[in-house]
Amino acid sequence: MKELDEMEKHLILFLFILFSCLSIGQNKAYARGATSRKSRNTTSPFDVGVILDTKTWIGNISWRCMSMAMEDFYNSHSYFTKRLSLRLQDVNQDDPVDSAFAAVDFLKNVQVQAIIGPQTSTQAKFVIELGNRSQVPIISFTAKSPSLSTKQSPYFIRTGMNDASQARVLASLVQTFRWRQVVPIYADTEFGNGFIPNLIDAIVEVDAVVPYRSPIPLSATDEDISKELEKLKNMQTRVFIIHMPHSLGLKFFLNANKAGMMSKGYVWITSYSLTDIVDIYRPSAANVMQGVLGIKPYVSKNNSKFQDFKARWRRRFKLPLTVFGLWAYDTVWSLALAAEKVPTPGNYTFTKNNVEEMKYSADLESIGKSQTGLELVQWISKTTFDGVSGKFKLIEGQLETSNFEIVNVVGNGTERIGFWTPAHGFSKRLNSKVFVDKVSKWPGDSSDVPRGWEWPTNGKNLSIGIPVKPGFLEFVNVTNTSNLVSNKQKGYCIDIFDKVMDALPYKVNYEYIPFADEMGRMKGTYDDLVEQVYLKNFDAVVGDITIVEDRSLYVDFTLPFTESGVSMVVPVKDQNRKGAWTFSDPLSTPLWIVSGVFFIFTGFVVWFLEHRENREFRGPPGNEVGTVLYFIFSTLVFSHREKIVTNLSRIVLIIWMFVVLILQQSYTASLSSMLTVQQLQPTLNDLQQLALTKSKVGYLNASFMPGLLKGLNIDESRLIAYNSPDEYNEALSNKTVAAIVDETPYLKVFLRKHCGKYTMVGPTYNNDGFGFAFPIGSPMVADVSRAILKITENKEIMGSLENHYLYEDEACSVQEDGVSSSSSRISIKSFWGLFLIIGVTSMLALLIHSVMFICERWNSGLSLGQMLLLLIKFYKPDIPSNAPKGEQEMVTLSEMESPAPPVGHESVVESESYYDVGTPLKDEETHLGYAST
């Protein structure tokens, strides 16, 4: 019994200890709970209004992300003394009045310290004004319109993307694929209208144009959208940028599919407002958006916070996650961090305005002003952290968004095809420039990059206006003005256009429509015809349409397909004068004079070189002159009889005979041409000469010539219009006009028909030739111009067409530059080289002869001056012509040293010396020495 009692005592003691431990644990737990409640009781609430439409995908996802942000933030920041209290007002996003009432209720009845939202830019416009009045920050991550300025509204903070940043990205896509025309299609709201100016500016910067803008109201029905799509379908442009909310965007693409506009050749690009519709609606959106390109802000997959949040999101909600949701999450974090730093003013009530104003509850002035608004804005603007969407940093009151990704709708989702960054533009890789060479899928399951434009696919052919010409049918010949079938029209311009169309890489159906009235006559001038393209009555104009500046103001011209220039046709007169002085025409007057001078000069040189050695060149002055002239002129017919004995003379004469030979042959050829070939010369040489004559001037009717001629100082009263080459001929033949001024192709056709009577002078004025006219900005101009180059560079095709229509009569020589018979006259320019050679040779011969003379008598004891004087006096004409050289020298020296020789003195000279023409003999030297004494 004692052992049992001991056991009971130990059991009671064990139970007592266990009960005591449990009591202590309960007391500690109670103490911790009391402390926690005390801590929660000291946390002050920070009221924040939230205006969203949770019935929409963006609103629903954003609110859930904000709720998760609250949990995550305060779980990791339990020591904060302020806690956000989010108060949601669920309003219709399409009704700006509801959002305004919600904002007023928040400001008057709750006196919130900040408002997140509203969801659309239209709603935000008025709420921002309320925020500025009450000094309450309005924070929005979904109102992206650039028209909502954070600079002009100091209490507006944008924690999402500004649509202006998308403009450069969209324009970069247009530039990359070289599209030249873009049509923006957008919601006709503040959301759309605020973005379009930025988009157009960006498109213009990449050298593209916006020919049309398509605003779609939010209330548009399927019928309204179908009508607008039909209008777009009938345009040439096939590149469209879509900027609208999800609800309208899905309806739009459904109708675009029904209209057949999601087929090959079309390009659809969506801004971010619509890109994530595929992620949200999945097959229902992807099925009608196959091949669409879209852009979206880039969120790095290396962001650990994003990966963790994304995993928890999928486990909890099973909903798609958009960038709007990430921005909503980071917005709550930034506001919670800033709220903690704002000093607590005791309470968060607003300061009231004038008491009298408070009587009217509907008066907005009665709301008052927040005491913390300004500081809260400043702290939010300074807040930076690594959020789930990336680096959270505000610049001038809005989130910095720089990198984008480009996606392609393929299958049931999207595939990334590249990135866009400010540094590298559109690139296949994020941080380097790698050209995007392939897009997974274009509309219509095409893998080829669309051209970006097509001719309207409305079942109609391209209407091509052509002129109706009474003359010059070689260019355009309309056989029947009531027949619009293309193969019934003929002419050089028509054939060129047909071949150009065949050379295009795609097929274009077209028909020719004559520009004629009921009588079959042309309705107006060529300017009127070109204007029809501007008035959209014709899709293009084909014919002999000259490219001029005034017309280029209304149309775009292709490259010219004919030669350019305006010239003048005048009658010709035969300048072939077979009169008494015809023989003098082959050589020009300067050439006659120079030839005569060189004849005399060369004769003098030969005489000078032969005079001492050759007795045939000595004698009385008259005989010597006659001998020299006879000798040198007889070289013209190579009949000279005088013997040449010195080598220097022979050299000079050989070169001179070569010059004479060339001169003689040229003279004979030129004279033969003048006497046998008809030489025609224009009656007028240029337009200035025509202006001075005051004569009449003809031109082609309905052309641009009157304006040109008046600009060249030819009075309008002197101008006469004609319609055909036959009228040109008649007017020139009866001298009604002195000249016809027209474009070179016309005048060549005219001269082909009237060969020999007229000649073309010019060109007197330059233009760009004939071209095809298309509407301004037409993308077809570039393709047609390339095809024109391809055709015109093919000599076989162009030669065949020109021979068939224009210049088939090659026997007619067209004098295009006004060259007259004077062109066959030989000028001094053709012979100055020969005259230079004979002149230099002659002068060298004279110099060598003089040097040799001095060297032979260098030891005679005479000075250099005496020897030169001896050389000059040696050629005095009073020495007998039959006296030998030695006696001539004796007499010359005697004259130099002894003015009068002794009376009765006789020279004792052997008779043989009279016939010696070589070096003086010894006796001659003795006598020479005697004479010198």
Side-chain angles (χ1 to χ4, degrees), residues 730-876:
E730 182 180 356
L732 289 170
S733 299
N734 59 28
K735 299 183 179 181
T736 302
V737 296
I740 298 292
V741 178
D742 210 336
E743 294 178 78
T744 302
Y746 293 130
L747 297 183
K748 285 190 174 183
V749 172
F750 170 72
L751 290 175
R752 187 194 69 176
K753 293 184 176 181
H754 303 282
C755 180
K757 297 173 62 177
Y758 312 102
T759 187
M760 183 164 57
V761 180
T764 58
Y765 178 80
N766 292 325
N767 65 3
D768 290 331
F770 297 160
F772 305 131
F774 287 87
I776 290 179
S778 172
M780 194 173 185
V781 173
D783 289 342
V784 174
S785 294
R786 294 187 189 98
I788 288 175
L789 289 177
K790 181 178 179 181
I791 296 299
T792 54
E793 290 177 358
N794 189 319
K795 298 186 181 300
E796 182 178 353
I797 295 177
M798 294 303 296
S800 175
L801 291 175
E802 290 177 354
N803 291 336
H804 180 68
Y805 287 108
L806 305 182
Y807 318 127
E808 62 182 357
D809 190 357
E810 297 181 356
C812 181
S813 177
V814 180
Q815 190 172 354
E816 299 185 13
D817 54 359
V819 179
S820 67
S821 61
S822 62
S823 63
S824 59
R825 178 175 293 178
I826 304 173
S827 66
I828 185 63
K829 292 181 180 179
S830 305
F831 284 88
W832 73 269
L834 290 174
F835 287 128
L836 178 63
I837 293 173
I838 187 62
V840 171
T841 303
S842 299
M843 295 301 297
L844 286 174
L846 290 175
L847 179 62
I848 294 172
H849 177 76
S850 301
V851 171
M852 291 175 61
F853 178 85
I854 294 172
C855 290
E856 288 175 0
R857 286 146 185 84
W858 188 257
N859 297 324
S860 63
L862 298 177
S863 65
L864 181 61
Q866 287 176 327
M867 283 188 283
L868 291 175
L869 186 60
L870 174 63
L871 179 63
I872 295 173
K873 287 183 173 291
F874 177 70
Y875 292 96
K876 290 182 62 175

Side-chain angles (χ1 to χ4, degrees), residues 287-398:
N287 290 340
V288 296
M289 296 177 64
Q290 290 295 300
V292 173
L293 296 182
I295 68 172
K296 59 193 301 186
Y298 173 67
V299 179
S300 175
K301 301 302 185 288
N302 297 326
N303 185 345
S304 59
K305 288 188 175 182
F306 167 71
Q307 294 296 345
D308 176 70
F309 176 75
K310 183 178 180 182
R312 292 188 293 116
W313 172 269
R314 288 179 175 177
R315 288 196 303 267
R316 182 179 297 187
F317 297 113
K318 308 296 184 183
L319 293 174
L321 183 61
T322 66
V323 177
F324 286 114
L326 302 181
W327 287 333
Y329 185 97
D330 289 344
T331 298
V332 172
W333 273 63
S334 65
L335 183 56
L337 289 171
E340 182 66 21
K341 297 178 182 180
V342 175
T344 303
N347 56 50
Y348 292 109
T349 58
F350 288 7
T351 59
K352 298 300 182 180
N353 294 318
N354 192 306
V355 177
E356 291 297 326
E357 295 176 348
M358 297 285 293
K359 296 179 180 179
Y360 304 97
S361 60
D363 194 343
L364 297 179
E365 294 294 338
S366 63
I367 294 176
K369 292 180 175 58
S370 172
Q371 301 179 57
T372 62
L374 182 59
E375 288 185 272
L376 184 59
V377 168
Q378 294 174 349
W379 280 112
I380 294 176
S381 300
K382 296 176 183 179
T383 300
T384 59
F385 61 93
D386 293 326
V388 295
S389 65
K391 183 72 173 180
F392 184 91
K393 182 180 179 181
L394 300 181
I395 296 178
E396 295 182 346
Q398 57 188 10

Side-chain angles (χ1 to χ4, degrees), residues 87-362:
R87 298 171 177 268
L88 174 65
Q89 285 273 15
D90 199 345
V91 301
N92 186 351
Q93 67 168 357
D94 297 328
D95 191 347
V97 177
D98 282 355
S99 60
F101 277 125
V104 172
D105 180 58
F106 278 143
L107 295 173
K108 287 188 64 176
N109 301 326
V110 183
Q111 294 188 343
V112 294
Q113 302 307 305
I115 294 178
I116 298 177
Q119 193 164 314
T120 66
S121 298
T122 304
Q123 293 173 319
K125 191 171 185 180
F126 182 70
V127 174
I128 291 172
E129 291 297 326
L130 293 176
N132 290 335
R133 284 175 176 266
S134 60
Q135 298 182 358
V136 172
I138 307 298
I139 308 169
S140 179
F141 53 88
T142 54
K144 304 188 281 55
S145 174
S147 63
L148 304 178
S149 173
T150 56
K151 293 181 180 180
Q152 297 176 359
S153 303
Y155 289 91
F156 174 52
I157 298 174
R158 194 189 329 253
T159 56
M161 179 180 62
N162 186 339
D163 275 340
S165 61
Q166 294 190 89
R168 291 178 59 196
V169 186
L170 296 168
S172 180
L173 288 176
V174 174
Q175 184 182 35
T176 299
F177 295 108
R178 299 181 181 179
W179 296 313
R180 290 291 171 260
Q181 289 190 354
V182 182
V183 172
I185 305 173
Y186 56 96
D188 191 11
T189 61
E190 183 68 30
F191 160 79
N193 294 320
F195 171 63
I196 292 305
N198 298 85
L199 177 62
I200 293 177
D201 290 343
I203 289 173
V204 171
E205 286 182 3
V206 297
D207 297 326
V209 297
V210 178
Y212 178 73
R213 293 184 292 178
S214 177
I216 307 292
L218 292 178
S219 59
T221 63
D222 289 340
E223 183 180 357
D224 297 331
I225 295 176
S226 297
K227 288 181 180 179
E228 185 64 20
L229 287 171
E230 190 65 26
K231 185 186 299 184
L232 297 173
K233 191 175 181 179
N234 292 333
M235 298 173 60
Q236 297 178 6
T237 306
R238 290 295 181 262
V239 181
F240 306 103
I241 294 178
I242 315 300
H243 182 70
M244 53 183 61
H246 292 165
S247 57
L248 181 60
L250 184 59
K251 182 190 296 185
F252 181 87
F253 276 110
L254 285 169
N255 285 276
N257 261 280
K258 293 178 182 178
M261 295 178 69
M262 298 301 296
S263 57
K264 183 177 179 180
Y266 285 88
V267 178
W268 299 92
I269 307 173
T270 61
S271 66
Y272 177 59
S273 61
L274 200 55
T275 299
D276 60 3
I277 190 176
V278 178
D279 297 327
I280 294 174
Y281 289 94
R282 286 295 177 179
S284 59
N287 290 340
V288 296
M289 296 177 64
Q290 290 295 300
V292 173
L293 296 182
I295 68 172
K296 59 193 301 186
Y298 173 67
V299 179
S300 175
K301 301 302 185 288
N302 297 326
N303 185 345
S304 59
K305 288 188 175 182
F306 167 71
Q307 294 296 345
D308 176 70
F309 176 75
K310 183 178 180 182
R312 292 188 293 116
W313 172 269
R314 288 179 175 177
R315 288 196 303 267
R316 182 179 297 187
F317 297 113
K318 308 296 184 183
L319 293 174
L321 183 61
T322 66
V323 177
F324 286 114
L326 302 181
W327 287 333
Y329 185 97
D330 289 344
T331 298
V332 172
W333 273 63
S334 65
L335 183 56
L337 289 171
E340 182 66 21
K341 297 178 182 180
V342 175
T344 303
N347 56 50
Y348 292 109
T349 58
F350 288 7
T351 59
K352 298 300 182 180
N353 294 318
N354 192 306
V355 177
E356 291 297 326
E357 295 176 348
M358 297 285 293
K359 296 179 180 179
Y360 304 97
S361 60

Side-chain angles (χ1 to χ4, degrees), residues 408-427:
N408 184 207
V409 180
V410 178
N412 291 329
T414 60
E415 291 183 5
R416 179 195 296 159
I417 62 171
F419 300 89
W420 186 93
T421 61
H424 303 290
F426 183 32
S427 176

Side-chain angles (χ1 to χ4, degrees), residues 505-575:
Y506 46 86
K507 181 175 178 59
V508 177
N509 297 319
Y510 59 93
E511 60 184 8
Y512 294 112
I513 301 178
F515 185 56
D517 57 17
E518 295 80 1
M519 303 298 294
R521 296 171 298 190
M522 191 161 171
K523 284 184 180 181
T525 65
Y526 275 66
D527 290 339
D528 297 331
L529 173 58
V530 171
E531 189 179 10
Q532 300 305 307
V533 178
Y534 177 76
L535 298 175
K536 302 186 184 305
N537 294 327
F538 291 140
D539 295 315
V541 167
V542 169
D544 46 344
I545 311 297
T546 305
I547 303 173
V548 293
E549 180 185 5
D550 291 344
R551 294 172 182 172
S552 66
L553 300 176
Y554 303 96
V555 296
D556 277 349
F557 284 101
T558 63
L559 290 176
F561 58 89
T562 63
E563 60 181 315
S564 62
V566 175
S567 300
M568 179 172 66
V569 162
V570 296
V572 294
K573 55 185 178 181
D574 187 3
Q575 295 297 313

